[in-house]
Amino acid sequence: MVAAHRPRPTGLVTSLNMQKLKLNADIASGLLFAVFGGWFCATSIAGLALGNAFRMGPGFFPALVGGLLFAMGIFIAIKGWRAEGAMIKLRSIPWRAIALFPIGLILFGAVMRPLGLAIALLTLCFCSSVALKGMTLVRAAVLSAAITTLCIGIFKLGLGLNLPLVGDWLR
């Protein structure tokens, strides 16, 4: 039996492959901005009347902001591609925060009507603070209670926001 001879990659080939697979934080964030900006711009153009600069339609401002976000994302991605930055490692991605921030926002929206602003804010702040690296449950509870109290003081008492502190299920 003769083993198949496969050529070993040279340093130049390995270097070229690494350049093809180069992904750093600037490239990833730039592409993310470009995707979101392009999506907002395209849906605004497709679904809403744009108008003109003197008589703006409902889609003018979202299309403008989406276009600017798309352009900024492309600029950041190109800048990241040209720079020598640290590569993204899967271990360095904050997976817990990526999962818990959307969960906190969804819970905030789901809890707002039945339980009220206070519980919704407490839920959002707790999910967000638990997402932080090194945060314990006790510290997260204390921090979320303090932020909730501050938010209620500012938005409900200071600004007079017309949202019930206690929802329908707790009355």
Side-chain angles (χ1 to χ4, degrees):
M1 233 175 161
V2 177
H5 175 70
R6 291 188 350 189
R8 299 178 69 190
T10 62
L12 177 63
V13 172
T14 305
S15 175
L16 290 175
N17 287 337
M18 290 301 288
Q19 286 181 351
K20 286 182 183 176
L21 299 175
K22 180 172 131 179
L23 182 65
N24 59 27
D26 286 341
I27 294 173
S29 61
L31 292 176
L32 190 66
F33 288 159
V35 167
F36 279 120
W39 184 77
F40 278 112
C41 186
T43 55
S44 299
I45 290 172
L48 300 170
L50 290 180
N52 58 37
F54 296 107
R55 194 169 179 93
M56 293 182 195
F60 189 86
F61 191 70
L64 179 68
V65 172
L68 289 174
L69 187 62
F70 178 78
M72 185 177 74
I74 295 297
F75 176 75
I76 290 171
I78 290 172
K79 183 181 170 201
W81 183 262
R82 298 175 89 193
E84 293 294 327
M87 307 289 273
I88 293 178
K89 295 178 182 172
L90 287 179
R91 286 184 174 183
S92 66
I93 296 175
W95 294 110
R96 186 169 63 174
I98 290 173
L100 284 176
F101 283 139
I103 288 172
L105 289 173
I106 291 169
L107 285 176
F108 178 80
V111 167
M112 175 62 96
R113 185 172 298 252
L115 296 177
L117 179 65
I119 301 296
L121 277 173
L122 194 63
T123 305
L124 175 65
C125 292
F126 186 75
C127 283
S128 300
S129 56
V130 167
L132 294 174
K133 194 174 187 177
M135 181 67 75
T136 63
L137 290 178
V138 173
R139 290 176 56 194
V142 170
L143 180 64
S144 59
I147 291 174
T148 299
T149 304
L150 180 68
C151 288
I152 288 172
I154 291 172
F155 292 110
K156 186 71 178 174
L157 303 176
L159 298 175
L161 186 65
N162 193 14
L163 289 173
L165 282 178
V166 178
D168 296 335
W169 287 4
L170 299 178
R171 289 185 190 163

